[in-house]
Structures are given as structure tokens and as C-alpha cells.
Amino acid sequence: MHGIPPPDFYKANWYAAVDKENSKIGVGVIVRDSGGLIIASLCSSISLSPDPLLGEAVAALGASSFYSELGLNQIMLEGDSLAVIQAVQHKDESWSPTGLVIRDIKIVLSKVQTWSIHYISRKFNVIAHALAKFALTCSEEHIFMEEYLPCIQYLL
């Protein structure tokens, strides 16, 4: 379900890049409005066990929390980790590290008026991917409002 969100909705795509050598996860999030315009983007890196599933869950939590911080109430989340998406959609709980992050995502989303989460093919998630890769080179979080990092200019 890639594309532009319905009127009055915002869409966030997220991606996690894993640097196994340095035990680091790069998180990239891009938020668009119903007109397809970029309203915000986020790059951050976290020192974490280089587990790809945990990284994707942390990135989805980052996207959910970013929405919350922006004060958005009608949201669509899109990511290319089917396992994370299914875990958020189901009621089952797990006490694994990834399960605890999924629980946090559900808590954040429970405070949002209307939300949905969808799978998107990796080939349609290239902007969030580029942001996550860039995040691996950053030592601090970067948030851009109504503008974007030069590292994604060629993708727009």
C-alpha cells in the first residue's frame, strides 16, 4: 500500500540499517502529508545488539514516537519488516527484547486517534533506507521539519 495517504492522514515510512561491526542501528523515518509533501524526517543511531528484527522494531517505535511528538492523530505507518507489522497487528505478547519494543509501539499507538500499519516492499522504501544508512554515520539525532537531508535529494 505505497503512495499518498488519504485526506487528513499522515504517512511515515521507517527503515532500520544494521552495522554489525559496531553494534549500531541506524533509524530513518520520513513523514508525508496527504498531498505527498515531506513534512518531517528523522535520522538517529542507537548502540544496540545488531539484531535486524530488533532494529526494525526499534525503527517502528521511532516512527510511532516521532508521530506522537509531532502531534499527529491520523497516521499510517509503512515498513518493510513483515514480522514487525504482524506483531503490532496481533494481540500476542512476548517478553523477548523485540516483543518489549512491540509492546511500547502498541502503547504509543493506543494514544493516537486513528492509525494503521502496512507492509511496503523494500523497493518502495528507499528514502527511509537512505536516511537509516546516513544515520549510521551520525553521532546525534537529526530532525528536519518541512525540509530534508541532502542524502535523499536524488531520491525525490
Side-chain angles (χ1 to χ4, degrees):
M1 167 177 261
H2 69 283
I4 298 170
D8 300 324
F9 272 75
Y10 294 88
K11 179 179 77 162
N13 289 76
W14 85 85
Y15 192 90
V18 178
D19 178 352
K20 290 183 180 182
E21 193 173 302
N22 296 307
S23 294
K24 194 173 183 183
I25 304 284
V27 174
V29 179
I30 186 91
V31 180
R32 295 178 187 266
D33 66 12
S34 59
L37 298 174
I38 295 172
I39 65 157
S41 59
L42 164 84
C43 289
S44 66
S45 62
I46 302 157
S47 294
L48 194 66
S49 167
D51 173 348
L53 182 59
L54 179 59
E56 286 290 346
V58 166
L61 177 59
S64 303
S65 298
F66 192 38
Y67 260 137
S68 179
E69 291 169 15
L70 293 172
L72 306 176
N73 280 317
Q74 299 190 95
I75 62 174
M76 292 172 53
L77 294 164
E78 288 185 340
D80 57 27
S81 174
L82 191 55
V84 169
I85 291 161
Q86 289 174 336
V88 171
Q89 291 171 334
H90 291 94
K91 294 189 185 329
D92 298 341
E93 290 197 13
S94 165
W95 291 100
S96 70
T98 301
L100 293 173
V101 174
I102 297 294
R103 181 178 170 272
D104 289 348
I105 294 168
K106 291 177 182 181
I107 289 169
V108 170
L109 292 176
S110 73
K111 298 172 184 169
V112 174
Q113 180 182 336
T114 307
W115 65 273
S116 61
I117 188 166
H118 307 274
Y119 172 79
I120 185 172
S121 170
R122 188 164 288 166
K123 69 181 177 181
F124 295 115
N125 210 15
V126 293
I127 295 174
H129 174 87
L131 289 170
K133 286 287 193 188
F134 176 75
L136 289 174
T137 68
C138 300
S139 58
E140 58 188 44
E141 182 175 83
H142 295 279
I143 294 175
F144 289 85
M145 302 299 294
E146 298 178 3
E147 59 182 336
Y148 42 84
L149 286 162
C151 71
I152 62 170
Q153 177 82 34
Y154 72 97
L155 297 169
L156 302 175

